[in-house]
Amino acid sequence: CVEVSRSDGSFDWSWLVAGKALLYCSLGTYSHVYRHGRRLFDAVLAALHKRPDIQAVVQIGTCAEVDAFGPLPDQIRVVKRVPQLEVLERAQIFVTHGGLSSVREAIYFGVPMLVFPCAKDQPGNAARIAFHNLGLRGDIATVNDAEILRMLQGLADPRVAAAMRKMQQVFLQQENCQAGVDAIVARLGREPSPPNVALASQ
């Protein structure tokens, strides 16, 4: 479930142009530990210089300093931290590492993804995003601006938006976590599993 009432701070939206697509890029809380994180941020920003029709919020965390990315167009904001739910609620594109919380929140708000998995569960999450046509998967170790531009074109396929709307409805229907409650209650109603004799003897 997504805790939509949580408060992650405030963000100045006075610069945002209504009716213009918003891209949000973030590698989550641990962007500084991902070996190729800076490469992805550089690729996204280089691509956005060639797409003035897209405005963007790029959250870099502690991966680098904001001024390390040089002068930026007015439609791009590079920041250390943002209230993610507030940004996703406005976004049309999400460039992400594919962490489960970020994926879940993107689906909740119906935002198609460009996924660049780095570690742990992220490759599996990226595979499922690609399988369900909720976005496209890329390689963070080789990504460049040309690849980002190509992926942005692919994300514009109407089938991606349709698939995301369908999955979003599934998530919204389960937002009260009733399926989880039902699974626990059903499990509690069963006979207890036999103890693991081998483990108990150790």
Side-chain angles (χ1 to χ4, degrees):
C1 302
V2 176
E3 183 50 67
V4 293
S5 64
R6 79 171 190 245
S7 176
D8 295 331
S10 59
F11 191 67
D12 177 14
W13 291 106
S14 61
W15 59 278
L16 197 69
V17 178
K20 192 174 185 179
L22 175 65
L23 178 149
Y24 172 45
C25 176
S26 173
L27 291 177
T29 308
Y30 301 104
S31 61
H32 60 285
V33 306
Y34 300 138
R35 179 180 175 188
H36 302 290
R38 177 61 188 269
R39 181 187 183 99
L40 177 65
F41 293 135
D42 285 338
V44 168
L45 289 170
L48 290 172
H49 275 80
K50 301 170 184 176
R51 288 290 305 267
D53 57 314
I54 299 177
Q55 50 198 338
V57 174
V58 180
Q59 176 182 269
I60 60 171
T62 55
C63 176
E65 294 304 316
V66 171
D67 58 9
F69 297 93
L72 296 168
D74 290 341
Q75 78 269 17
I76 299 174
R77 293 292 187 275
V78 173
V79 294
K80 287 282 192 177
R81 187 173 182 273
V82 294
Q84 180 155 294
L85 295 184
E86 192 174 317
V87 180
L88 283 174
E89 191 173 9
R90 292 168 170 79
Q92 287 75 47
I93 304 161
F94 185 23
V95 182
T96 176
H97 59 311
L100 188 57
S101 292
S102 292
V103 170
R104 186 172 63 242
E105 290 165 2
I107 295 173
Y108 179 89
F109 287 108
V111 186
M113 292 166 272
L114 300 183
V115 190
F116 294 87
C118 301
K120 299 184 179 180
D121 65 327
Q122 297 162 22
N125 296 337
R128 287 160 177 81
I129 289 167
F131 176 81
H132 291 289
N133 206 24
L134 306 177
L136 300 174
R137 174 178 46 182
D139 185 348
I140 195 170
T142 61
V143 67
N144 56 32
D145 58 332
E147 178 73 359
I148 294 293
L149 290 170
R150 183 191 67 78
M151 294 177 75
L152 287 173
Q153 287 184 327
L155 208 62
D157 187 328
R159 291 173 294 183
V160 175
M164 177 56 81
R165 286 193 298 270
K166 182 177 179 181
M167 187 63 74
Q168 181 186 28
Q169 288 307 308
V170 173
F171 271 55
L172 292 175
Q173 289 166 9
Q174 295 297 333
E175 186 55 24
N176 63 3
C177 300
Q178 189 60 48
V181 172
D182 291 345
I184 292 170
V185 169
R187 177 64 181 158
L188 291 175
R190 299 175 185 169
E191 291 295 321
S193 302
N196 188 317
V197 177
L199 185 62
S201 64
Q202 293 178 1

